[in-house]
Amino acid sequence: TIAWDAAQRGYSVALVDKGDFAGATSANSLKTVHGGLRSLQRGAIGEMRQVVREPRALLRIAPHLVGPLSFVIPTSRHPVRNRAVMRIALALNDLLASDRNEGLLPAQQLHGGRLLSRDEVLAIAPELDASNLTGGATWCDAQMRNSERLVLAFVQSAANAGAVTANHVAIERLVREGDRVTGAVARDTMTGATFDVRARLTVNAAGAWAAGLSGAATGQAASALLPSIS
């Protein structure tokens, strides 16, 4: 999406991937496009507002590949996962994400959160241990029905907008000039040939491998560059 957005704005863009596009983490996940509830859990309100925009954009841009997905979490007498806490969390989430359905077709809209009774939860998931069950909470995020098709659609759209795209091209290291990253040394994994890619702006979107790549360029330990997510 970064390459697609930048190419549409008229920038010269090069996109490389060390494996297949949409491989690795993109293909091995629940394909969930999370809203802001996880950010709210950490008290990151600014991040939450940013996160709310992402599923809304994907639901609008690719309604054939992204759709609403309901979640249910059981509640108990646990200090955190009890009905009172979840009621407050869902109300705050709905308040801070009140514009999450702006511009979306009815079938693509994310429903608000609500509490479920004990019987409603057991009807949905009868295999749950009911001994400490007090009910549940439900909310809605988005899910990619086919993450591979979605990624390839963005790659093809970026290429149609003028971006140069290549998979099976690994970044060996980032190139620095002073305090600035000015590109990268890339390697064709099929032939072993290496070449330089120069850029005024380099975006490290390597997912689980991003910290290691940035750490090699900055001299920092990868652990120091990873976000803290609880």
Side-chain angles (χ1 to χ4, degrees), residues 109-184:
Q109 294 184 3
L110 308 180
H111 68 68
R114 69 180 183 93
L115 293 179
L116 301 175
S117 70
R118 187 174 184 271
D119 289 343
E120 285 178 303
V121 174
L122 288 175
I124 295 170
E127 67 277 7
L128 284 175
D129 181 3
S131 59
N132 193 35
L133 184 69
T134 61
T138 181
W139 71 95
C140 195
D141 280 337
Q143 184 183 42
M144 293 173 278
R145 299 188 179 99
N146 188 314
S147 59
E148 293 84 358
R149 281 186 61 194
L150 183 63
V151 171
L152 287 176
F154 275 114
V155 172
Q156 290 171 343
S157 296
N160 290 340
V164 176
T165 64
N167 59 352
H168 295 283
V169 174
I171 297 300
E172 296 284 278
R173 60 183 176 86
L174 299 178
V175 177
R176 294 181 63 185
E177 293 181 7
D179 294 332
R180 292 185 63 249
V181 173
T182 57

